[in-house]
Amino acid sequence: MHWSLVTKAPIRDTRGTLVGLVGISHDITRRKQDEQRLGELAATLAEKNRELETILYVASHDLRSPLVNIHGFSRELQRSVDE
């Protein structure tokens, strides 16, 4: 696929009658390809971030569980010492 950016302007005589048209065309194919690639990379990055958030959530939960148990045991130990 080929992309172009085209700018056109009318050419008028002294009475204002349209006598022609002038235009400039720029090949922007590479820019469009880069934009598409950037979009693909952004989507991939978003997916990787979701995966990382899931891993962090699981790791946080897995680390929190033993601490809850230790906290419970320490309370039991404190109660038995206080009696």
Side-chain angles (χ1 to χ4, degrees), residues 5-18:
L5 178 62
V6 178
T7 304
K8 294 183 180 180
I11 299 174
R12 299 186 184 276
D13 64 12
T14 57
R15 293 184 305 245
T17 305
L18 182 64

Side-chain angles (χ1 to χ4, degrees), residues 4-5 11-14 16 22 25-26 29 31-32 35 37 40 44 51 60 63 67 71-72 74-75 77 80-81 83:
S4 292
L5 178 62
I11 299 174
R12 299 186 184 276
D13 64 12
T14 57
V22 64
S25 176
H26 296 281
T29 303
R31 183 174 85 188
K32 287 294 190 177
E35 288 172 357
R37 180 72 179 131
E40 292 167 358
T44 300
E51 290 174 9
S60 173
L63 291 173
L67 291 176
H71 184 67
S74 66
R75 279 193 316 233
L77 182 60
S80 68
V81 168
E83 292 176 355

Side-chain angles (χ1 to χ4, degrees), residues 4-67:
S4 292
L5 178 62
V6 178
T7 304
K8 294 183 180 180
I11 299 174
R12 299 186 184 276
D13 64 12
T14 57
R15 293 184 305 245
T17 305
L18 182 64
V19 294
L21 190 66
V22 64
I24 299 172
S25 176
H26 296 281
D27 182 358
I28 60 168
T29 303
R30 178 61 188 249
R31 183 174 85 188
K32 287 294 190 177
Q33 291 169 341
D34 291 345
E35 288 172 357
Q36 181 180 1
R37 180 72 179 131
L38 183 60
E40 292 167 358
L41 290 172
T44 300
L45 181 60
E47 177 61 27
K48 295 296 180 186
N49 279 336
R50 283 190 293 276
E51 290 174 9
L52 182 58
E53 287 172 0
T54 300
I55 290 169
L56 290 174
Y57 175 80
V58 170
S60 173
H61 180 268
D62 288 351
L63 291 173
R64 196 175 313 124
S65 293
L67 291 176

